Amino acid sequence: MANSIYEYVKSFEVEDEVMFPNIILVCINGCNFSRFSQLHRLEKPYDLNALKLMNSCAVSVLEEYADVVLAYGFSDEYTFVFNKSSKFYQRRASKVLSIITSFFSSMFVTKWSDFFPQKELHYAPSFQGHVISCATIQVLQSYLLWRQNICHVNNQYDQCFWRLIKRGKTETEVRNSLKVAEKSNLNECLFHEFNINYNTLEEIYRKGSCVLKTMVEDIVKYADNGAPVRRRRRKIITVHKKKVASTRFWNEQTILLKELGGFTEEIDNVKSEYVHSFEFDTKLMPYTWIVVRLDGCHFHRFSDLHEFVKPNDERALNLMSSCAMAVLEEFQQDIVFAYGVSDEYSFILKRTTDIYQRRTSKIISAIVSFFTSTYVIRWKDYFSNRMLKYPPSFDGRAVCYPSTEILRDYLSWRQVDCHINNQYNTCLLGYFNSDFVGCKLDRKSTSGTCHLLGSSLVSETHLDAMEQHLNEHVDKRMHAMQDRLMAEFQRQELETKTHFDHLSVLFSTFGNFSQPPPSS
């Protein structure tokens, strides 16, 4: 809310724009998926249906976001590549990361039953991630080669590991026996012990999955003489190639060449340290309060599509609160307080937390992902007679506040904003509900009568006259309402600061805030 005495807290937000001409990569991987796969009894070493589910979610990301032109994944990880000229959410790393992670999580839960119709989802899966800022196309090439090499190495090891486990050996025994094994020994182990030629394993295990946009010819219609009429159009495909980073494969993809550029030469080896140097990540300041704030993406459209009650749908608000409680339970060692309104929630992490080594990207993505998955899972608990027509997603950011007083002011700012917005929305909706009454086909306005025929007005002249009259009426009502809101806002602003004094008692249980941080 403008002109608030608490609005200064926004100055603590840090800009995290990925500058041009760097290529943005969003890399996500499952949180504690060893436990997840064990609980849901997924096949070892890799469950084919789980891999297909991951691929399907990646396809959905490319369908939803035009700026994402390529994805590569294996096991429980996926990397999404944005076109080089992307301005997606002003290239703010935290928003880009959280939105992709959130949407992927939403699709994972939504599509679970398509791939595991006989298995119930027992708890909310979540993903964490980070952003890589590729300075050149050669960095992207190195990254893709590195990840595909990791896919190959991990698959070799896991194929041997889990087959030996199924023979009755303990995990400790297998790890000790494979610790000194080289690649050739692993292949020999598969062949001699299990009569398996590694090169005959399915490509999806050995090479991973590459999801990309390509041009294909499709038959759009048939001419009068029966001849097919073909048109070139974009299509999303999934392939399993021997070497995604090769010039031969890459330069055959016209869309990749246009959106990202071409590879000029082959590379055979890459050091992980080189790729890690391009990670776009920061660590949040120690001994400060961390606030992770989530906001619904395009929730106006989402609420209209699902016919939420205006201005506030009680079931939708209860669903948000239920998800927030689940987050507090999942991160109970670190999150001490949560405050939400409408489609947003703020989670406060204690000053002494060292969750994910206070790495910004992992904290944001993990919390946003878990919240989103829980939202989709619990949807039917609050909207039992309403199908989820569109996967929800949330964006997130993390901000450090050095003192309890500033943290209280942040909460005051959000609550004042809640109060004013709720008054505004209630008054505005109340005006329209009183001004337009009757059925949808014959709305009677106190500003005049207008008969609708389907979705079109009977008279365009009548429409223009009514629009002008209505605008004048709305202006008068809005000005009067703004005056009342400003007066109420000033009163509420003075009262809110005292309302949050009791939070000091809550926060004091998590540390002595008047003392400086302990010396190392």
Side-chain angles (χ1 to χ4, degrees):
M1 176 59 65
N3 302 319
S4 169
I5 61 174
Y6 304 118
E7 201 163 342
Y8 77 93
V9 297
K10 291 198 296 185
S11 64
F12 288 88
E13 295 184 13
V14 179
E15 292 294 331
D16 58 352
E17 179 183 354
V18 180
M19 303 302 293
F20 283 111
N22 294 332
I23 300 171
I24 300 174
L25 273 61
V26 171
C27 317
I28 66 173
N29 61 279
C31 293
N32 199 5
F33 257 51
S34 297
R35 170 194 166 203
F36 180 86
S37 60
Q38 183 177 5
L39 182 62
H40 293 90
R41 297 182 179 180
L42 301 183
E43 289 291 330
K44 297 293 185 180
Y46 302 106
D47 191 297
L48 184 58
N49 284 331
L51 295 179
K52 290 180 178 180
L53 171 58
M54 292 286 291
N55 291 345
S56 180
C57 295
V59 170
S60 296
V61 171
L62 266 70
E63 290 174 342
E64 180 71 11
Y65 303 109
D67 285 18
V68 182
V69 295
L70 173 71
Y72 175 76
F74 63 93
S75 186
D76 64 344
E77 80 164 57
Y78 243 103
T79 298
F80 299 94
V81 183
F82 287 72
N83 66 56
K84 59 185 177 183
S85 59
S86 173
K87 296 181 181 178
F88 188 71
Y89 280 84
Q90 295 78 50
R91 299 174 68 90
R92 294 175 61 181
S94 58
K95 281 188 172 287
V96 174
L97 170 64
S98 58
I99 289 171
I100 296 298
T101 309
S102 177
F103 186 82
F104 190 94
S105 304
S106 186
M107 294 307 307
F108 191 93
V109 176
T110 302
K111 294 190 174 191
W112 172 266
S113 59
D114 296 340
F115 295 88
F116 297 98
Q118 306 301 323
K119 292 184 179 180
E120 183 182 354
L121 199 56
H122 295 297
Y123 75 94
S126 60
F127 298 83
Q128 63 185 20
H130 59 277
V131 172
I132 289 182
S133 176
C134 294
T136 64
I137 189 66
Q138 287 72 31
V139 177
L140 173 60
Q141 184 182 19
S142 299
Y143 175 86
L144 293 174
L145 177 63
W146 172 51
R147 294 321 298 161
Q148 197 165 41
N149 286 344
I150 293 295
C151 169
H152 167 67
V153 171
N154 287 357
N155 183 58
Q156 273 189 321
Y157 182 90
D158 290 340
Q159 293 289 349
C160 291
F161 181 88
W162 288 106
R163 281 178 166 80
L164 290 172
I165 290 292
K166 291 175 181 178
R167 277 195 171 180
K169 292 187 176 182
T170 66
E171 292 191 10
T172 302
E173 290 174 340
V174 176
R175 286 196 180 95
N176 290 336
S177 63
L178 296 180
K179 187 177 296 184
V180 295
E182 298 181 355
K183 292 180 181 179
S184 58
N185 293 336
L186 292 175
N187 285 345
E188 290 178 5
C189 173
L190 282 173
F191 186 75
H192 293 297
E193 295 287 338
F194 306 101
N195 196 28
I196 294 176
N197 184 339
Y198 179 80
N199 292 325
T200 62
L201 294 175
E202 291 192 50
E203 290 182 329
I204 192 173
Y205 301 133
R206 296 184 288 116
K207 303 169 185 176
S209 302
C210 182
V211 182
L212 69 153
K213 296 176 179 177
T214 186
M215 299 298 296
V216 297
E217 272 196 357
D218 268 359
I219 299 175
V220 295
K221 63 179 181 179
Y222 291 89
D224 294 338
N225 60 1
V229 178
R230 302 178 183 274
R231 295 284 188 273
R232 288 178 62 80
R233 66 177 184 87
R234 287 194 175 195
K235 183 179 180 180
I236 297 173
I237 61 173
T238 303
V239 297
H240 312 287
K241 287 291 181 180
K242 185 175 181 179
K243 197 173 181 182
V244 176
S246 67
T247 56
R248 179 178 179 181
F249 166 74
W250 190 269
N251 294 332
E252 289 175 352
Q253 312 303 322
T254 56
I255 292 181
L256 295 184
L257 290 174
K258 178 182 177 182
E259 302 286 0
L260 294 167
F263 296 158
T264 57
E265 59 183 16
E266 299 286 358
I267 56 175
D268 296 319
N269 297 297
V270 59
K271 293 184 177 180
S272 59
E273 295 82 4
Y274 171 73
V275 179
H276 282 307
S277 67
F278 293 95
E279 283 192 21
F280 193 94
D281 198 10
T282 57
K283 284 191 175 183
L284 296 167
M285 292 180 61
Y287 211 72
T288 58
W289 293 103
I290 300 174
V291 175
V292 176
R293 177 177 160 191
L294 279 61
D295 287 283
C297 295
H298 306 299
F299 255 58
H300 290 294
R301 180 181 67 174
F302 183 84
S303 60
D304 288 341
L305 184 64
H306 294 92
E307 300 178 346
F308 284 2
V309 177
K310 301 294 185 179
N312 299 305
D313 190 300
E314 184 176 357
R315 290 180 297 177
L317 295 177
N318 289 338
L319 173 56
M320 292 286 293
S321 298
S322 174
C323 297
M325 292 176 63
V327 171
L328 264 68
E329 292 171 1
E330 180 73 10
F331 300 92
Q332 56 184 300
Q333 301 298 321
D334 301 281
I335 298 179
V336 296
F337 189 78
Y339 175 75
V341 53
S342 185
D343 64 343
E344 79 167 56
Y345 245 99
S346 296
F347 297 96
I348 300 171
L349 284 72
K350 59 186 179 183
R351 302 176 77 169
T352 56
T353 183
D354 196 38
I355 183 173
Y356 296 118
Q357 296 77 50
R358 299 178 75 95
R359 291 181 62 181
T360 308
S361 58
K362 287 194 173 185
I363 293 174
I364 294 174
S365 56
I367 293 177
V368 171
S369 176
F370 185 82
F371 188 95
T372 306
S373 296
T374 305
Y375 191 98
V376 179
I377 290 175
R378 297 189 178 183
W379 171 268
K380 61 180 178 294
D381 296 338
Y382 294 87
F383 297 94
S384 56
N385 59 345
R386 197 172 298 176
M387 183 183 297
L388 190 60
K389 301 177 182 178
Y390 180 82
S393 59
F394 298 83
D395 68 65
R397 73 200 76 178
V399 186
C400 289
Y401 292 112
S403 70
T404 309
E405 291 72 25
I406 299 175
L407 176 60
R408 284 205 310 264
D409 284 351
Y410 169 82
L411 293 170
S412 301
W413 172 52
R414 298 318 306 146
Q415 192 172 50
V416 169
D417 209 33
C418 164
H419 175 74
I420 298 301
N421 285 340
N422 186 57
Q423 276 197 328
Y424 176 85
N425 291 334
T426 303
C427 292
L428 186 61
L429 188 72
Y431 164 70
F432 281 109
N433 283 344
S434 64
D435 199 49
F436 293 101
V437 295
C439 72
K440 295 182 178 180
L441 299 181
D442 189 5
R443 294 177 180 172
K444 296 180 180 179
S445 169
T446 56
S447 304
T449 303
C450 178
H451 295 276
L452 297 180
L453 183 62
S455 59
S456 303
L457 286 170
V458 174
S459 169
E460 292 187 7
T461 305
H462 194 181
L463 171 63
D464 295 337
M466 180 191 170
E467 184 180 16
Q468 180 180 356
H469 189 84
L470 182 60
N471 286 339
E472 293 174 356
H473 188 52
V474 169
D475 287 343
K476 292 179 182 179
R477 294 286 293 271
M478 290 297 292
H479 283 122
M481 181 166 48
Q482 287 174 359
D483 291 340
R484 293 197 303 272
L485 288 177
M486 184 55 68
E488 176 63 19
F489 167 67
Q490 292 171 350
R491 183 189 68 79
Q492 181 74 13
E493 193 172 42
L494 293 175
E495 292 181 358
T496 302
K497 194 172 185 66
T498 59
H499 291 169
F500 280 94
D501 287 342
H502 73 279
L503 288 177
S504 297
V505 178
L506 172 64
F507 295 141
S508 64
T509 62
F510 300 101
N512 189 342
F513 311 123
S514 61
Q515 297 180 359
S519 58
S520 57

